[in-house]
């Protein structure tokens, strides 16, 4: 039979969206290749399975002082290169999981290695500023030439933080403050009752307001963000939570485009429940306090790669606007290009921007974009010692520059279409038939997922792919999520598709 | 009149604890001096006040995209050196605030600058690991030779995190999980009811358990940590909180040693209230859920530098042990040497160790120490993408090495005693009489504070000291807190004391 690569190429010859069609696009792809001229051309496996004995030993040593049961394998980062991850045993795998979707432009990217050697970087890293009170002289320039260059349309303000959970929680805080400011009137002072009751964690100073989120959502693991997270019981068990409302994610069918009509109905139903939950939250005797904000992922990631249409998100914007509820778009995992747009929500073409867009992971820096109307009324209200991290802000700037100068967003959109079409074919006509299902990620860059038939089948597939030298990750109950870096090319996609076909033929 | 330095020296000639008395101590002090041979010998002020015009302009520029009203001044970190901070206008000040107590071993410390240039550091920083799943090959060695070297007595396990708030919140989560595990029995599985109810944020899966904290406490600003924070209304207003109990910090008088008997009574009263709150929390119909843990700072910092005696903390350990409540010692600000012990709680000589010790700030890395009995029953329960930061872990190791090789903890204990005695004299017999009061920090290294007569007087003193080239910080309502670095020497102390005397004479 033809190799996976050959069959893919043959099948895709007639597909218009799968290959770069213009000269400019072809030029972009060539430029991407030049980033890592010495990348391996194939996996190199020296142990029968991963983790191998050396990984296991090192993991076991870590286990003496720290949880090690979630270890995949132990990594030799110095030897990792571009899309390729080297492990402790000397195996080299194609990495399509990328540190839980948090590496944007490849291991040991030369642009980042050069940054590390600059005086600016060393000064910022070894003299860590309390940014909210003693910012460095170059802070404005650093932010404006970095994070400021990728402001989501319509959002001017930038709050810097440290991780996805605290990005979301600080956005929650800003939303609560703005909501209460609007209730009490812009000019109003805090009442003595508010000042005193908040010190006892009681209303009216500590109001019973809530954040609405969706079933299967993942927004983080600290106490506020975990209260909005609904992905898995294991994330939530034994932890006290705020009594915040939840609405069912639209029960759509995949591939989305093949079920457009019934999906539109499902989304409409979900939107009606959102509106009902908001209205109910404002009634006396409601189980939840009033909904001040909703938070939503453009593609639910940890919860299983669940998608919805742009119309659904426009509907959310409409219902939140109608009821004076803030809309927080959690782009911690979807942001920074992987969906084929810099921000996944760019593809929605909203008629008015969200109120908050949060980020972390691939940006390395974390935080959120917003507008002046949600800047707190006074200083020190949304504040902490570090207020972000200059090291990671510098890294973010370089990542953004590399992404822009190499056209990595458009590149990822092209590569994503190529993979999606090949997988669609594999599942409908090839070795994936009956073994893989629910393909999603059409027009979503490389943010692609599919399900195994069971949780066990999925886990087995991941382990078998690892033996073949391809590192992929799971999410939800039985999904496999592809999370390659933005420097993932068609040649890597072909290698992945070949190995996947091979594994499917034997499992 | 004699200069401050001369008067200090004359007054202190007869004080036994104020000067290094042994040859070893003198050798230690000399070694500290050698760290920054080119440090300025005096402040250099080129603008009338700080912030100067350039600082104001840069701050105003930052204000276009980010909160700037909490800015003190804008800093030229490249030009800062050791204990000296250079601002945007070219002023050079003696820094006794140290980025809100988060710089341990001086600006542009040569040991840290050397670290920044190592391959190990560059690899770790530019290839950020998801530590909980794909740790680097050197992770065990890195932790054991760094954070592992300063394990609090009796605590073996190390959880790595990113900031003080998330260090505390992850400790809360570990405490809640361990508390419920004990309730349900070690071998018991989660019930279907727990699994389902937690997805709705409801008991029994999301139990109504609580963390007890003290009035004036500061434990962070995210939703769990903020629920335990009781420092100021401005930190808490408009943010929903857990209904967790609070107990009054002992109403002690300062200096502690001059009020030993009445302070013992005050501490006893507070301990009785702690026990009452725990007992009440376990009764049916309690306003709060059962207390799973208490959290306490060895010295309440943000809340005003409030102290208590070792006997008080031993009492807390006793009452928590008696009632099966976990004890979390929040050393985010007190840790890493500034109190004249590596951990402030080292000076308590507890009969059994606390269950958790949390850290951040001067360590640059964050997290907590604990024991196996509070490691969650399953992986992924206390987990997140990054699980700390290899960059900051490497920095922590170098900081610990520098602290140990230069004897900076003992050094800080000596310098602290020197400052404390001089201030005691200044307030009782000198220019501070009637203007400063409530001196605290005896036998607490350089963790020293005193009050102005009013909040305004305190703020004025801080601004006048800044004009004199000494940067100090406030806390609580009217306190000034000294937070010099561990490389702060007697010569710096003399300079501070001289300028303080000068300012007191004119305000």
């Amino acid at each position: 039979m033809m190799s996976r690569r050959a069959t893919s190429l043959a099948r895709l010859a007639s597909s218009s969206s799968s290959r770069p069609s213009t000269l400019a696009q072809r030029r972009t792809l060539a430029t991407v290749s030049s980033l890592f001229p010495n990348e391996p051309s194939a996996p190199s496996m020296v142990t029968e399975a991963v983790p191998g004995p050396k990984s296991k030993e090192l993991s076991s040593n870590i286990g003496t002082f720290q949880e090690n049961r979630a270890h995949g394998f132990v990594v030799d980062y110095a030897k990792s290169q571009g899309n390729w991850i080297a492990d402790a045993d000397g195996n080299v795998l194609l990495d399509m999981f990328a540190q839980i979707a948090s590496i944007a432009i490849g291991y040991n990217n030369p642009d980042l290695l050069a940054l590390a050697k600059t005086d600016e970087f060393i000064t910022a890293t070894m003299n860590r500023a309390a940014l909210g009170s003693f910012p460095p002289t170059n802070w404005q320039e650093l932010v404006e030439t970095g994070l400021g260059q990728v402001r989501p349309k319509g959002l001017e303000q930038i709050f810097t933080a440290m991780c996805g959970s605290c990005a979301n929680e600080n956005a929650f805080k800003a939303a609560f403050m703005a909501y209460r400011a609007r209730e009490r009137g812009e000019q109003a002072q805090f009442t003595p009752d508010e000042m005193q009751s908040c010190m006892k964690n009681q209303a009216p100073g500590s109001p019973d307001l809530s954040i609405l989120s969706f079933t299967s959502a993942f927004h983080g693991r600290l106490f506020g963000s975990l209260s909005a997270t609904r992905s898995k019981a294991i994330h939530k068990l034994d932890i006290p939570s705020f009594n915040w409302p939840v609405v069912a994610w639209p029960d759509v069918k995949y591939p989305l485009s093949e079920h457009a009509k019934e999906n539109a109905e499902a989304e409409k139903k979900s939107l009606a429940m959102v509106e009902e939950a908001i209205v109910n939250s404002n009634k006396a005797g409601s189980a939840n306090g009033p909904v001040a904000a909703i938070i939503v992922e453009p593609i639910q990631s940890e919860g299983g790669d669940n998608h919805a249409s742009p119309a659904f998100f426009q509907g959310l914007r409409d219902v939140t606007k109608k009821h004076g509820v803030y809309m927080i778009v959690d782009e911690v995992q979807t942001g920074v290009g992987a969906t084929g747009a810099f921000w996944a929500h760019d593809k929605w073409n909203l008629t008015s921007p969200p109120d908050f867009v949060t980020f972390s992971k691939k940006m390395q820096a974390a935080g959120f974009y917003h507008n002046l109307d949600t800047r707190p009324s006074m200083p020190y209200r949304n504040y902490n010692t570090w207020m972000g991290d200059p090291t990671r802000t510098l890294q973010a700037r370089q990542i953004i520059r590399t992404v822009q100068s190499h056209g990595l967003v458009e590149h990822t959109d092209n590569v994503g279409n190529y993979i999606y079409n090949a997988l669609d074919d594999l599942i409908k006509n090839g070795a994936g038939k009956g073994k893989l299902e629910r393909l999603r990620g059409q027009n979503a860059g490389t943010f692609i997922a599919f399900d195994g038939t069971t949780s066990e089948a999925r886990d087995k597939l991941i382990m078998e792919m690892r033996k073949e030298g391809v590192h992929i990750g799971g999410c939800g109950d039985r999904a496999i999520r592809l999370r390659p870096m933005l420097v993932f090319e068609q040649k890597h996609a072909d290698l992945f598709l070949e190995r996947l076909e091979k594994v499917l033929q034997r499992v």
Side-chain angles (χ1 to χ4, degrees), chain A:
Chain A
M1 65 164 274
M2 289 164 87
S3 77
R4 174 75 243 155
R5 178 169 186 154
T7 53
S8 302
L9 295 180
R11 278 183 193 134
L12 291 166
S14 61
S15 159
S16 63
S17 64
S18 62
R19 302 293 302 277
S21 53
T22 68
L23 186 63
Q25 283 172 321
R26 275 196 295 275
R27 199 180 299 129
T28 302
L29 291 176
T31 315
V32 175
S33 267
S34 70
L35 264 169
F36 297 101
N38 302 320
E39 263 199 319
S41 58
S44 163
M45 304 303 292
V46 297
T47 63
E48 205 172 308
V50 175
K54 190 76 189 151
S55 254
K56 283 184 182 166
E57 185 195 339
L58 290 171
S59 171
S60 163
N61 292 343
I62 293 169
T64 59
F65 65 84
Q66 192 166 75
E67 176 65 67
N68 68 338
R69 289 168 293 175
H71 287 176
F73 48 90
V74 178
V75 179
D76 188 334
Y77 287 97
K79 293 197 181 131
S80 300
Q81 172 83 349
N83 293 281
W84 299 85
I85 190 166
D87 77 1
D89 292 277
N91 300 300
V92 179
L93 297 88
L94 181 65
D95 188 357
M96 298 181 69
F97 196 42
Q99 306 302 316
I100 320 181
S102 70
I103 302 285
I105 57 174
Y107 294 114
N108 290 299
N109 184 293
D111 293 344
L112 290 176
L113 298 182
L115 170 67
K117 291 169 182 147
T118 63
D119 288 343
E120 184 179 29
F121 186 81
I122 293 172
T123 296
T125 301
M126 293 306 174
N127 300 287
R128 187 173 189 179
L131 290 168
S133 288
F134 308 102
T137 49
N138 67 343
W139 185 241
Q140 183 217 7
E141 187 245 335
L142 168 52
V143 175
E144 284 294 355
T145 56
L147 295 173
Q149 294 294 307
V150 292
R151 285 181 167 94
K153 197 176 158 194
L155 301 183
E156 286 303 314
Q157 299 288 302
I158 308 174
F159 186 100
T160 42
M162 294 194 41
C163 69
S165 289
C166 75
N168 284 337
E169 297 212 0
N170 282 302
F172 293 178
K173 288 179 67 175
F176 287 132
M177 290 179 200
Y179 189 92
R180 285 288 298 129
R182 209 176 53 199
E183 282 191 327
R184 71 165 69 85
E186 288 295 327
Q187 300 306 315
Q189 302 296 308
F190 302 116
T191 66
D193 190 18
E194 286 175 327
M195 304 274 283
Q196 285 150 25
S197 58
C198 78
M199 299 306 282
K200 300 179 207 157
N201 293 5
Q202 289 169 2
S206 299
D208 182 21
L209 296 174
S210 65
I211 303 285
L212 183 149
S213 62
F214 289 93
T215 52
S216 312
F218 184 89
H219 301 293
R221 292 171 170 269
L222 301 174
F223 285 79
S225 47
L226 187 62
S227 293
T229 285
R230 315 276 180 167
S231 43
K232 289 176 188 157
I234 198 70
H235 302 155
K236 292 171 72 71
L237 278 157
D238 296 346
I239 311 301
S241 287
F242 290 108
N243 183 21
W244 290 348
V246 60
V247 165
W249 183 257
D251 185 20
V252 297
K253 291 194 166 47
Y254 303 98
L256 281 187
S257 61
E258 295 173 19
H259 304 271
K261 201 181 159 197
E262 57 206 290
N263 287 348
E265 283 304 310
E267 291 179 350
K268 218 171 135 186
K269 196 169 148 192
S270 181
L271 286 172
M273 289 190 290
V274 169
E275 183 158 23
E276 191 186 353
I278 293 171
V279 170
N280 284 343
S281 77
N282 290 308
K283 289 182 182 160
S286 157
N288 314 114
V291 174
I294 69 165
I295 184 166
V296 64
E297 297 155 279
I299 300 164
Q300 289 191 329
S301 305
E302 176 64 26
D305 267 39
N306 306 316
H307 293 244
S309 75
F312 173 70
F313 295 101
Q314 179 64 55
L316 273 184
R317 179 68 291 196
D318 293 340
V319 73
T320 51
K321 278 272 181 196
K322 178 177 170 190
H323 293 283
V325 166
Y326 295 103
M327 179 171 175
I328 305 169
V329 177
D330 177 344
E331 294 243 25
V332 168
Q333 189 156 164
T334 53
V336 193
T339 67
F342 195 90
W343 301 108
H345 79 270
D346 290 342
K347 290 192 174 181
W348 301 341
N349 292 311
L350 290 182
T351 51
S352 67
D355 297 291
F356 301 90
V357 173
T358 65
F359 61 90
S360 181
K361 285 193 180 269
K362 280 195 184 62
M363 195 75 97
Q364 296 287 301
F368 59 87
Y369 296 90
H370 64 120
N371 271 322
L372 262 184
D373 59 340
T374 51
R375 192 192 276 194
S377 60
M378 293 167 66
Y380 295 110
R381 297 193 68 195
N382 216 357
Y383 179 88
N384 56 61
T385 298
W386 284 321
M387 296 296 288
D389 186 336
T391 302
R392 303 301 175 188
T393 313
L394 276 156
Q395 234 171 316
R397 178 170 70 178
Q398 186 54 57
I399 289 166
I400 290 163
R401 284 177 172 170
T402 301
V403 166
Q404 291 183 336
S405 65
H406 292 268
L408 295 183
V409 176
E410 188 191 22
H411 163 75
T412 298
D413 211 26
N414 292 333
V415 172
N417 286 338
Y418 180 80
I419 299 173
Y420 183 90
N421 290 332
L423 284 172
D424 189 44
D425 187 42
L426 186 75
I427 293 171
K428 283 182 180 146
N429 312 309
K433 207 169 175 176
K435 291 179 178 169
L436 305 181
E437 55 193 37
R438 297 180 77 239
L439 178 65
R440 43 240 197 243
Q442 190 170 27
N443 190 27
T446 54
F447 223 89
I448 294 169
F450 46 84
D451 282 5
T453 48
T454 63
S455 180
E456 295 67 34
R458 183 268 312 270
D459 293 347
K460 169 100 176 148
L461 191 63
I462 290 174
M463 293 312 287
E464 291 298 314
M465 284 297 281
R466 226 187 250 176
K467 284 185 191 167
E468 292 292 328
V470 179
H471 175 39
I472 51 178
C475 64
D477 291 330
R478 55 190 178 97
I480 281 174
R481 54 175 160 175
L482 306 187
R483 293 293 186 273
M485 305 164 192
L486 307 185
V487 293
F488 194 82
E489 298 174 68
Q490 189 182 315
K491 66 183 179 190
H492 305 113
D494 285 332
L495 197 147
F496 157 69
L497 293 163
E498 263 174 45
R499 306 279 159 136
L500 180 62
E501 184 169 45
K502 187 174 160 194
V503 164
L504 285 169
Q505 279 161 351
R506 74 167 180 249
V507 292

